[in-house]
Amino acid sequence: MKAVLEVEHLVTSFPGVGRGKTVRAVNDVSIVLHSGEIVGLVGESGCGKSTLGRSIVGLEKPESGRVIFDGVDLGSLSGNRLRAARRAVQYVFQDPYASLNDRQTVGEAIDEALIIVGVASKAERSARIGQLLDQVGLASAVRDRFTRELSGGQRQRVAIARSLAVEPRVLICDEPVSALDLSIRAQVMNLFLDLRDQLGVACLFIAHDLALVRQAATRVYVMYLGKIVEGGGSDEVYGRPSHPYTQMLLASVPEADPMIERRRKIPLIKGEIPSPTNPPSGCFFRTRCPLAVGECARIEPPTIFLTPTHRIACRFANEIAQKSLTDA
Ligand SMILES: Nc1ncnc2c1ncn2[C@@H]1O[C@H](COP(=O)(O)OP(=O)(O)OP(=O)(O)O)[C@@H](O)[C@H]1O
Ligand SMILES: [Mg+2]
């Protein structure tokens, strides 16, 4: 499969509390998105998921590393070529209330996006608005309604239609359903699956909800304190979690099947997330890790590939994977 988006060794920092302090919100992150795939990005609050997404689309300025779109390093582009590449990667925000203008009708909101991409003819734009509403599963009757009159789910659909107006190849979806009622989350989730199938749009899906990601994503990355600690196929990461942190995250999701629930042998999550301005030496996770040994404080964890696609930043990955096989 062809990579549509590659992120290489990306670092994004903010000034921290205290003089000369910095927060490395994204700390040497490398990830890949292939055309038409949904990839999950999960991790606790504050681990840097949004900053990674925002750095990819240019809402934050990375201090080093590369964002490569369709084989071209965005850092090497400027002017129209950069704008075109930026347009191809769209951000879908968590809050559909903040991302739309209350005083616009649905039609106007989408029309604005079409004007920005230079669809000059009014007739053409009108036809495209109808098509976009259809693509996001909204009836054409909502076109003349004000966005403030819509439900949360409908508003998120309008926001997605606006993003699609520029014909993006990649959507960075930052918790796009977590502000919605439980009952409509699944419907909006299904919309992302449809968009992938119908338009081939790739999607980096940021979420707290591991069950949701498992259902939608074919691959998943787990982030901790600015770093990717585990990445792989969803069946690999969920089926054979091999970083102690991934195991803890999964342990906090209740299992639907009581038989599996009883058999599970995963440590309980312990400890606070360390301050990002002052992360631990060696492995960042060691202060909460039940397996940590002296070496973990001295050297950064190696990256271990359990399969060509399943990578883990922990020296014990092989042992953990072996144990989860014998326990299963
Ligand atoms: N504009 C900013 N200025 C200073 N620090 C920031 C800024 N944005 C984010 N941070 C810090 O960077 C770190 C990562 O934040 P980020 O919002 O990317 O995390 P997140 O994983 O998206 O969290 P959540 O799940 O709560 O949305 C945090 O320590 C946060 O305080
Ligand atoms: Mg966030």
Side-chain angles (χ1 to χ4, degrees):
M1 240 193 299
K2 197 165 166 282
V4 62
L5 186 79
E6 294 157 272
V7 172
E8 290 182 350
H9 303 293
L10 205 72
V11 177
T12 303
S13 304
F14 298 110
V17 183
R19 252 181 60 171
K21 294 274 188 201
T22 55
V23 177
R24 282 203 153 180
V26 175
N27 194 341
D28 195 13
V29 166
S30 299
I31 61 170
V32 176
L33 242 69
H34 300 112
S35 303
E37 71 169 348
I38 297 183
V39 175
L41 176 65
V42 300
E44 285 163 290
S45 187
C47 72
K49 304 179 296 295
S50 296
T51 307
L52 173 58
R54 293 169 59 83
S55 303
I56 291 172
V57 300
L59 290 169
E60 302 291 350
K61 193 169 162 30
E63 91 190 36
S64 60
R66 306 200 298 166
V67 177
I68 299 164
F69 173 72
D70 234 358
V72 181
D73 180 358
L74 293 188
S76 71
L77 297 179
S78 58
N80 284 339
R81 289 189 63 204
L82 179 62
R83 269 194 293 279
R86 286 255 180 259
R87 235 179 249 150
V89 185
Q90 288 285 315
Y91 204 84
V92 177
F93 293 88
Q94 173 176 357
D95 184 0
Y97 291 85
S99 56
L100 294 174
N101 179 344
D102 260 0
R103 286 186 295 268
Q104 279 182 327
T105 63
V106 171
E108 285 164 356
I110 302 175
D111 199 39
E112 194 176 64
L114 290 167
I115 292 170
I116 292 170
V117 283
V119 184
S121 128
K122 194 151 189 228
E124 214 177 301
R125 292 203 309 272
S126 175
R128 188 89 175 95
I129 292 170
Q131 198 184 19
L132 285 163
L133 287 175
D134 188 47
Q135 268 166 1
V136 299
L138 287 173
S140 52
V142 301
R143 193 181 184 132
D144 298 319
R145 304 258 303 273
F146 283 99
T147 57
R148 63 171 179 268
E149 298 169 341
L150 305 180
S151 70
Q154 287 174 319
R155 289 177 72 111
Q156 193 57 298
R157 286 176 194 269
V158 175
I160 295 165
R162 260 172 73 98
S163 304
L164 293 178
V166 305
E167 299 183 11
R169 302 268 310 282
V170 178
L171 292 179
I172 308 288
C173 305
D174 195 349
E175 311 217 24
V177 299
S178 48
L180 306 178
D181 286 347
L182 263 184
S183 57
I184 46 174
R185 275 187 199 180
Q187 292 169 20
V188 176
M189 260 330 285
N190 285 335
L191 171 60
F192 286 108
L193 299 180
D194 288 347
L195 294 175
R196 175 197 59 190
D197 296 342
Q198 287 165 20
L199 306 175
V201 180
C203 181
L204 181 67
F205 195 86
I206 299 174
H208 274 111
D209 186 337
L210 290 162
L212 202 69
V213 171
R214 180 177 201 166
Q215 169 207 330
T218 47
R219 290 193 303 117
V220 59
Y221 291 105
V222 180
M223 198 167 181
Y224 184 78
L225 223 62
K227 288 183 178 291
I228 302 295
V229 295
E230 180 158 1
S234 296
D235 49 347
E236 295 175 318
V237 173
Y238 285 86
R240 206 179 170 194
S242 302
H243 192 287
Y245 179 60
T246 315
Q247 295 202 320
M248 285 183 173
L249 272 187
L250 290 176
S252 61
V253 181
E255 182 71 60
D257 180 346
M259 282 303 287
I260 302 178
E261 181 68 37
R262 270 202 298 279
R263 278 212 320 255
R264 216 168 35 173
K265 292 178 190 150
I266 301 180
L268 285 175
I269 206 148
K270 68 162 188 179
E272 294 279 305
I273 305 178
S275 155
T277 38
N278 193 17
S281 60
C283 172
F284 284 9
F285 187 59
R286 69 173 169 83
T287 52
R288 295 170 81 191
C289 182
L291 304 178
V293 293
E295 212 181 325
C296 301
R298 287 194 299 275
I299 25 185
E300 280 196 31
T303 297
I304 291 178
F305 283 86
L306 285 179
T307 72
T309 49
H310 190 187
R311 75 175 213 229
I312 298 103
C314 173
R315 71 188 65 260
F316 296 117
N318 279 310
E319 284 95 318
I320 298 171
Q322 199 55 45
K323 191 161 185 314
S324 73
L325 275 188
T326 37
D327 284 354

